[in-house]
Amino acid sequence: MTYESNVMNETIQTVSLREIPEGGVCSALGFRAAGVHAGFRADPSRLDLALVCADEPCACAAVFTQNEFCAAPVSVSRSHLIEGGEGSTYGTARAVMINSGNANAATGMRGLDTAEESSALAARALGCPASEVLVASTGVIGVHLPLAPFESGLPLAVEALSAEGSLDAARAIMTTDTCAKSYAVEFSGEAFGYPEVCFHVGGMTKGSGMIMPNMATMIAVLTTDVPLAAPDLHRALKTVVGQSFNKVTVDGDTSTNDSCFLFSSGAHRPSVPLATPGSELYEIFLVALTQVCVYLARLMAQDGEGATRLITVNVSGAAS
């Protein structure tokens, strides 16, 4: 993909985005991930606990379900970030932990306590404050989420964390999905005055049913090593989600657990300054993030429950 930018009337820069073979949530520098079987599922061959961790606390933005009956993990993760308004949040975080097999939804105060305690367990395992750990759950609704699998699975997940853990993490968040969904791109910093720097944007997602605009039973984790401040990361995420995940409908239902997290490791700092809105680096980051999210959204639509075809309609000459 080639993108031409004429930001602030400056010289047009042409930047090529390159797909990363087997790329995913760890393609960006400064991130590790793991997927293990913790026991949320009876089948020992099914991975059911994913952990994505930044090497250091970093900027993070999130967008959550607009369903008023949101699940406990959504409430807890929101509380761990600064309210950005309109259902979005941003702040500083170190990791996100996701279990499959149980959504911890419609579980009342007990569910909230469980989500908070699971976050605290992950924080202790990682050696960081609980406020820096975000949580998400996916699976059956109305069943209380046990803590025992976290207690036994977290040590395994922390030990397994690696820069090669993207695929296992993507597999661990699957529910009725028929395949893991990961994607990543990279681009050179030469056009921005950083000839020896390569920037990356990648991520993973799950979702194949209860898909409706404004996200659905969808959980996505996105990462980048383009350095951005949390408010600008939040601004970018809101823009891109509106052009990708929020365009997908499978069965008309909006879920209780929708969560989309975006982390920026800032791995190229301080040699690369923060990418700010209006700068060429920010603009090409938006294009890269859009490509990743659109690709993942199409994978979700293609894997929709009962779907046998993915049809693309191109409209030209329309009034709007």
Side-chain angles (χ1 to χ4, degrees), residues 11 38 40 58 75 79 94 106 111 116-117 122 159 175 203 235 250 254 262 279 295 316:
T11 303
F40 297 103
C58 64
S75 296
S79 72
R94 176 77 190 281
E116 286 282 15
E117 182 59 27
E159 183 179 358
T175 51
R235 176 178 175 175
V250 170
T254 300
L262 172 59
S279 69
Y295 186 93
S316 60

Side-chain angles (χ1 to χ4, degrees), residues 266-287:
H268 297 298
R269 296 274 287 166
S271 59
V272 178
L274 289 172
T276 56
S279 69
E280 290 181 327
L281 181 55
Y282 182 88
E283 293 299 317
I284 188 60
F285 163 71
L286 274 181
V287 174

Side-chain angles (χ1 to χ4, degrees), residues 18 25 122 142 146 149 160 171 175 198 211 214 227 236 239 248 250 267 303 309:
R18 299 182 295 272
V25 76
R171 286 172 174 160
T175 51
C198 186
I211 304 295
N214 300 325
T239 298
V248 179
V250 170
D303 197 28
R309 300 288 188 276

Side-chain angles (χ1 to χ4, degrees), residues 38 40 49 97 99 114 118 121 145-155:
F40 297 103
L49 181 65
M97 176 177 65
N99 73 276
T114 298
S118 69
L121 288 171
L145 179 65
L147 280 171
F150 290 111
E151 294 169 343
S152 61
L154 270 167

Side-chain angles (χ1 to χ4, degrees), residues 130-147:
S131 60
E132 292 182 355
V133 177
L134 308 176
V135 291
S137 300
T138 181
V140 297
I141 291 175
V143 178
H144 287 295
L145 179 65
L147 280 171

Side-chain angles (χ1 to χ4, degrees), residues 112-310:
L112 286 170
D113 291 342
T114 298
E116 286 282 15
E117 182 59 27
S118 69
S119 175
L121 288 171
R124 286 196 287 272
L126 292 169
C128 68
S131 60
E132 292 182 355
V133 177
L134 308 176
V135 291
S137 300
T138 181
V140 297
I141 291 175
V143 178
H144 287 295
L145 179 65
L147 280 171
F150 290 111
E151 294 169 343
S152 61
L154 270 167
L156 300 175
V158 172
E159 183 179 358
L161 283 171
S162 76
E164 288 74 48
S166 295
L167 183 56
D168 280 348
R171 286 172 174 160
I173 65 175
M174 293 169 55
T175 51
T176 56
D177 305 67
T178 64
C179 61
K181 301 171 178 67
S182 293
Y183 186 68
V185 298
E186 63 183 7
F187 60 94
S188 171
E190 184 172 3
F192 316 109
Y194 307 102
E196 297 182 0
V197 175
C198 186
F199 297 102
H200 309 82
V201 180
M204 65 179 187
T205 189
K206 63 80 51 184
S208 59
M210 291 184 73
I211 304 295
M212 176 71 172
N214 300 325
M215 299 193 299
T217 183
M218 184 204 93
I219 294 175
V221 181
L222 308 163
T223 59
T224 185
D225 46 32
V226 176
L228 294 105
D232 296 331
L233 203 64
H234 162 253
R235 176 178 175 175
L237 182 63
K238 283 187 63 180
T239 298
V240 172
V241 165
Q243 300 171 0
S244 55
F245 298 126
N246 280 357
K247 299 290 188 181
V248 179
T249 298
V250 170
D251 54 18
D253 294 319
T254 300
S255 173
T256 55
N257 292 62
D258 316 334
S259 303
C260 180
F261 306 95
L262 172 59
F263 292 81
S264 168
S265 67
H268 297 298
R269 296 274 287 166
S271 59
V272 178
L274 289 172
T276 56
S279 69
E280 290 181 327
L281 181 55
Y282 182 88
E283 293 299 317
I284 188 60
F285 163 71
L286 274 181
V287 174
L289 183 63
T290 300
Q291 178 162 325
V292 170
C293 290
V294 168
Y295 186 93
L296 292 173
R298 287 176 61 85
L299 287 181
M300 289 169 54
Q302 182 174 311
D303 197 28
E305 291 179 2
T308 58
R309 300 288 188 276
L310 176 65

